[in-house]
Amino acid sequence: MKKIYIDGQAGTTGLRIRERLAERNDITLLILPEDKRKDSEARREMLNTADIVFLCLPDAASIEAVSMIENPAVRVLDTSTAHRTNPAWAYGFPELDTSFREKIESSTRIAVPGCHASGFIALVRPLVQSGLLSPDAHLSATSLTGYSGGGKNMIADYENPDRDGLLDAPRQYALGQTHKHLPEMKTFTGLHNPPVFLPIVGDFYSGMEVTVPLFGTDVNGATPADILELYHKTYDGSPLVRVANADESGFLSAASMSGKDSMEISVFGNPDRMILVARYDNLGKGASGAAVECLNILLGAEPTSNLIV
C-alpha cells in the first residue's frame, strides 16, 4: 500500500485532492497534525517517508519542498507553476499523446498542468501537430473561471456578505499580459508565440471555459467539421476528455462542468470564422482532478478512479 502525503493539504487544491482520496483502500494518507503543518522538520520527514507527494503550494514553497526530498524513490506531483516547463519533469496531461503518458509513468517528478493552460493546450496542440495551424500563428484566448481558482483569499472575498459591489460583475485580470500560464501554453502547443490572453473571473464558485477564435485562413481552410474530426482522432478513447458539440440552447455556460474532473471540447462557427471551446472545472481537470489522474497512472489504477466524470 502506497503512502501519500499532501504538502499544502489545507489549501483549495489540497483539500479537493484529499476528498478524492479519502475512500481509497490502496493508499495510506499521511497527515501532519495541525500544529506541525508549518514545522520544517516534520514536513521534511513526511516528504521523505511518503512514496508519492502532492505539492499544493506557491511556487517558491514548492521549489523549497523539492529541495527537502533526499529519498530518491519519492515521486512528486507538483500543482504549482514552478516546474511545468522544466524538461526534466513530466507534464501531467496524458491525453496529449502516448509520450506524455509514458513519461508520467516513468518519472519521479510530474508537473500538474495549469488550469487555463489545460484548455488552451488541449485545443491548439492537435492543430499544430497535424500541420493545420502554423507554429508561427498569433492567437488569442479568453478564459472564464470561477472564483475558487483564486484560492482562499479570493473565495473569502466573493463569499463575504459585505463584499465589494465590483465583484458582482465579471472581472478581467492579468492585464499586463504576463500571466504565469503563458510559458506552458507556448511550450506544449508547439507555438512560437504565446497567445494574447484574457482571463476573466466571475461570480460562480467553480468551472472554466477557454475559447480560442480562429479564421478559416488560420487553419488552411479547414472547417469546423474538419477540426472536430481531428479532435475525435486525438481524444476518442480518453475517459476524461470528450469531444461533443454541446451548448445550452445557443449559450455556453462556464459552470457546465463544475464538480467534474473531465473536460469537454467543442467547435462552433462556420468555415470563415470559428471558435474552439474547452469546458471543465478549474479545480477538476484544471487542478486536483488532473493531479489524481496522474496518481492513478503512477499506481496502475483506472484513470478515473475516485474521479467524477
Side-chain angles (χ1 to χ4, degrees):
M1 186 173 292
K2 297 293 186 181
K3 299 186 292 295
I4 309 295
Y5 174 56
I6 304 171
D7 196 5
Q9 63 185 10
T12 308
T13 300
L15 284 171
R16 187 145 173 179
I17 290 173
R18 187 171 173 180
E19 289 172 2
R20 293 290 190 260
L21 301 182
E23 303 301 319
R24 292 186 75 138
N25 57 16
D26 59 340
I27 64 170
T28 299
L29 273 176
L30 304 180
I31 307 295
L32 267 181
E34 183 63 24
D35 62 337
K36 297 285 188 181
R37 193 162 55 85
K38 295 186 178 181
D39 183 318
S40 294
E41 288 311 308
R43 285 179 57 224
R44 185 187 301 275
E45 182 178 354
M46 286 291 193
L47 288 167
N48 286 281
T49 299
D51 296 299
I52 301 172
V53 170
F54 288 95
L55 300 180
C56 304
L57 304 165
D59 287 7
S62 285
I63 293 169
E64 178 189 42
V66 172
S67 73
M68 294 165 68
I69 298 174
E70 299 167 347
N71 180 351
V74 174
R75 307 181 83 173
V76 178
L77 290 158
D78 183 11
T79 68
S80 82
T81 312
H83 302 101
R84 288 179 186 153
T85 57
N86 184 334
W89 286 61
Y91 190 67
F93 204 143
E95 292 87 358
L96 294 179
D97 66 48
T98 55
S99 67
F100 282 79
R101 182 186 177 96
E102 289 168 357
K103 190 168 182 178
I104 294 168
E105 290 173 335
S106 62
S107 292
T108 59
R109 300 289 183 267
I110 299 113
V112 179
C115 54
H116 299 288
S118 294
F120 183 78
I121 293 167
L123 293 169
V124 174
R125 179 182 170 85
L127 301 181
V128 176
Q129 292 292 303
S130 68
L132 285 180
L133 182 69
S134 169
D136 292 321
H138 289 82
L139 301 182
S140 66
T142 301
S143 184
L144 305 177
T145 182
Y147 59 77
S148 59
K152 284 188 171 182
N153 290 339
M154 184 174 284
I155 292 171
D157 287 343
Y158 271 89
E159 296 184 351
N160 183 345
D162 299 317
R163 73 186 192 181
D164 189 321
L166 291 176
L167 275 62
D168 295 344
R171 295 186 300 160
Q172 188 173 329
Y173 63 101
L175 304 179
Q177 289 300 307
T178 57
H179 194 283
K180 64 182 182 179
H181 292 180
L182 290 175
E184 63 187 292
M185 293 164 87
K186 173 187 171 184
T187 298
F188 294 106
T189 55
L191 290 172
H192 295 162
N193 309 286
V196 175
F197 183 46
L198 294 79
I200 300 169
V201 61
D203 186 14
F204 57 103
Y205 182 75
S206 69
M208 182 161 277
E209 180 178 280
V210 176
T211 302
V212 179
L214 291 174
F215 289 104
T217 51
D218 294 328
V219 285
N220 294 319
T223 66
D226 295 330
I227 294 175
L228 203 61
E229 182 180 359
L230 174 63
Y231 287 154
H232 277 295
K233 289 179 180 178
T234 304
Y235 298 118
D236 280 0
S238 300
L240 290 166
V241 178
R242 69 173 182 268
V243 180
N245 262 26
D247 61 5
E248 298 83 41
S249 301
F251 292 87
L252 286 171
S253 171
S256 67
M257 301 291 285
S258 180
K260 297 183 179 181
D261 296 302
S262 51
M263 176 185 286
E264 178 186 272
I265 289 177
S266 305
V267 185
F268 300 97
N270 57 64
D272 293 323
R273 298 184 307 279
M274 65 194 78
I275 56 171
L276 318 177
V277 183
R279 295 194 291 176
Y280 48 106
D281 189 333
N282 56 288
L283 297 178
K285 185 60 172 162
S288 306
V292 173
E293 179 186 5
C294 289
L295 172 69
N296 288 334
I297 291 173
L298 296 183
L299 296 177
E302 287 296 319
T304 58
S305 292
N306 297 97
L307 296 176
I308 299 171
V309 178

